[in-house]
Amino acid sequence: MAGASHYILDLPKFDSAPRLLIVVAPYYKMIADNLVSGAKAVAEDAGAKVDIVEVPGALEVPTAIAMAARMADYDGFVALGCVIRGETTHYDTVCNDSSRALTLMGLDGICIGNGILTVENHMQAEVRADPKGQNKGGGAAAAALHLISLSRKWARRTKGIGFKPSESFRIAGETDGSKNA
Ligand SMILES: Nc1c(NC[C@H](O)[C@H](O)[C@H](O)CO)[nH]c(=O)[nH]c1=O
Ligand SMILES: CC(=O)[C@@H](O)COP(=O)(O)O
């Protein structure tokens, strides 16, 4: 990947095309467009099918992913956006709450690559969003693809039982059939 200064894993190979949803917050449109370009290029290199939806800001990205994880049929998700520090502490809220929510969903087994930039100024964002630069969008797509590959690897070992979402992700009223449900 152009511009990378760290070790990058080779993209996983898939027997069947993974279905990826890119959720992008175009709060800074040019930055978001570059992140999406980088993510799409990596996804297509891996043979993934890609859908894209937009939300207003980074705080809405995890919510959209949580909804899609329960209501749609994607193998993984790419979170894209850009948060630039302003005058108040709102920057900390947007950064911390969006990243924490994505991490918690990841710990619940949802395959998510986080490409939400958290930067001090627009220049820092430009360098990181540039597909020919640090290509953080491509990196986020690659992360999601690696997690999908692991999920499929271990699902095969559990004879297709796959991942059972935790209680927090069970739709209201749905039971798992246990007596205590
Ligand atoms: N300041 C930035 C925001 N702020 C908006 C929030 O993400 C959210 O949409 C709003 O609080 C309504 O819930 N969003 C970004 O993506 N980037 C920013 O720099
Ligand atoms: C990251 C933000 O929420 C920030 O852009 C908002 O700017 P401000 O802190 O000046 O209100």
Side-chain angles (χ1 to χ4, degrees):
M1 193 174 297
S5 58
H6 58 279
Y7 181 74
I8 294 178
L9 295 172
D10 292 337
L11 283 178
K13 299 193 184 318
F14 295 98
D15 296 334
S16 62
R19 295 143 302 174
L20 269 186
L21 176 66
I22 296 175
V23 179
V24 59
Y27 198 89
Y28 295 99
K29 185 71 169 68
M30 187 199 77
I31 299 295
D33 288 349
N34 276 342
L35 289 168
V36 169
S37 296
K40 282 175 64 177
V42 167
E44 283 153 12
D45 280 353
K49 295 174 183 167
V50 180
D51 288 336
I52 304 174
V53 296
E54 294 182 332
V55 292
L59 280 182
E60 287 75 47
V61 171
T63 302
I65 290 175
M67 289 160 63
R70 282 186 297 186
M71 302 166 74
D73 188 21
Y74 293 104
D75 296 301
F77 303 89
V78 185
L80 300 178
C82 178
V83 188
I84 299 178
R85 189 186 298 276
E87 296 172 353
T88 72
T89 58
H90 195 231
Y91 171 84
D92 301 313
T93 296
V94 177
C95 295
N96 294 337
D97 285 10
S98 57
S99 61
R100 180 74 47 79
L102 295 173
T103 299
L104 290 173
M105 285 193 278
L107 295 177
D108 222 25
I110 299 177
C111 301
I112 304 172
N114 184 356
I116 297 177
L117 304 179
T118 55
V119 295
E120 297 298 325
N121 54 59
H122 203 275
M123 176 61 72
Q124 287 179 350
E126 287 174 19
V127 169
R128 286 153 181 79
D130 185 352
K132 294 184 176 57
Q134 293 189 22
N135 193 22
K136 294 298 187 182
L145 291 165
H146 281 288
L147 291 173
I148 292 168
S149 179
L150 283 177
S151 173
R152 289 184 176 185
K153 171 183 171 172
W154 288 323
R156 279 194 293 275
R157 288 190 183 173
T158 54
K159 295 182 178 58
I161 295 170
F163 169 71
K164 288 187 176 180
S166 70
E167 187 62 33
S168 62
F169 275 83
R170 187 165 289 119
I171 295 169
E174 183 185 71
T175 64
D176 62 3
S178 65
K179 291 192 181 67
N180 304 323

